[in-house]
Amino acid sequence: MSARSYLFLLGAARAGGNTEILARRAAKELPKADEQRWIRLPELPLEPFEDRRHGVGEHAVPEGNERELMDATFAATDLVIASPVYWYSVSASVKLYLDYWSGWMRRPEAEFKARMRGKTLWGVTVLSEEREQADPFVGTLRKTADYLSMHWGGVLIGNGSRPGDILLDERTLGEAETFFASANLVQA
């Protein structure tokens, strides 16, 4: 078994919130040999995405924050989208990051689809409603993984609203301890 490289993409508008606490709790159980990189998407802001398909022109060569995010995405074996559920789906910063994937797919030298194939996509989220309210969040990530022939790791879903509430969700904290355990089975 070779070491893995996890990229944790934090999409919350607030640092240190419930979703980040839960993601860090799950990551604590990863093997020491596995690399972890944590990026708060609001700290690497992207310009609004402009769809350049269908004769509007080419997508520019990624630079700055966009380049850093693309390079980090390619370097990882596992991508973990850690975002609260906002209006039943991923946060705006996560959605914008995923929109940029559309541009990267259209840069032939990036070989985006080929380089994403075989990676594992995971999700971590906390919401204040019932777990079923996260179905669009889960669907967004699962369909993204399917489209790019990525492995689907699953979503760890916790409950909480006020800061620190996730620490009261004993069931999900227990699930966090084994959430990434299937990673070595998925790509072994």
Side-chain angles (χ1 to χ4, degrees), residues 8 10 19-29 36 38:
F8 289 84
L10 304 174
T19 298
E20 183 175 344
I21 291 169
L22 182 58
R24 290 189 184 278
R25 178 69 60 102
K28 200 169 75 170
E29 304 301 324
Q36 295 182 33
W38 294 76

Side-chain angles (χ1 to χ4, degrees), residues 6-81:
Y6 287 81
L7 175 60
F8 289 84
L9 296 147
L10 304 174
R14 175 179 56 224
N18 287 310
T19 298
E20 183 175 344
I21 291 169
L22 182 58
R24 290 189 184 278
R25 178 69 60 102
K28 200 169 75 170
E29 304 301 324
L30 288 170
K32 298 290 183 222
D34 289 353
E35 179 185 330
Q36 295 182 33
R37 180 168 182 196
W38 294 76
I39 295 177
R40 287 198 74 252
L41 290 171
E43 292 175 3
L44 284 179
L46 296 168
E47 294 293 319
F49 179 72
E50 183 179 348
D51 187 354
R52 311 271 316 160
R53 296 176 297 162
H54 309 299
V56 179
E58 290 186 356
H59 288 275
V61 174
E63 297 177 339
N65 291 345
E66 180 186 357
R67 183 63 188 215
E68 185 173 343
L69 286 169
M70 186 177 79
D71 289 346
T73 299
F74 287 155
T77 60
D78 294 77
L79 301 167
V80 183
I81 303 294

Side-chain angles (χ1 to χ4, degrees), residues 44-140:
L44 284 179
L46 296 168
E47 294 293 319
F49 179 72
E50 183 179 348
D51 187 354
R52 311 271 316 160
R53 296 176 297 162
H54 309 299
V56 179
E58 290 186 356
H59 288 275
V61 174
E63 297 177 339
N65 291 345
E66 180 186 357
R67 183 63 188 215
E68 185 173 343
L69 286 169
M70 186 177 79
D71 289 346
T73 299
F74 287 155
T77 60
D78 294 77
L79 301 167
V80 183
I81 303 294
S83 169
V85 170
Y86 290 151
W87 288 101
Y88 310 102
S89 193
V90 296
S91 68
S93 61
V94 169
K95 177 63 171 77
L96 183 58
Y97 164 72
L98 294 175
D99 286 345
Y100 268 81
W101 288 18
S102 295
W104 301 342
M105 273 191 267
R106 285 159 182 84
R107 297 290 317 168
E109 74 281 1
E111 300 177 331
F112 187 76
K113 281 186 159 182
R115 293 176 78 177
M116 297 303 284
R117 185 178 301 114
K119 294 181 184 293
T120 302
L121 184 61
W122 307 83
V124 177
T125 191
V126 175
L127 70 161
S128 60
E129 296 90 15
E130 297 300 316
R131 288 179 177 222
E132 296 77 31
Q133 296 301 317
D135 287 351
F137 175 100
V138 175
T140 294

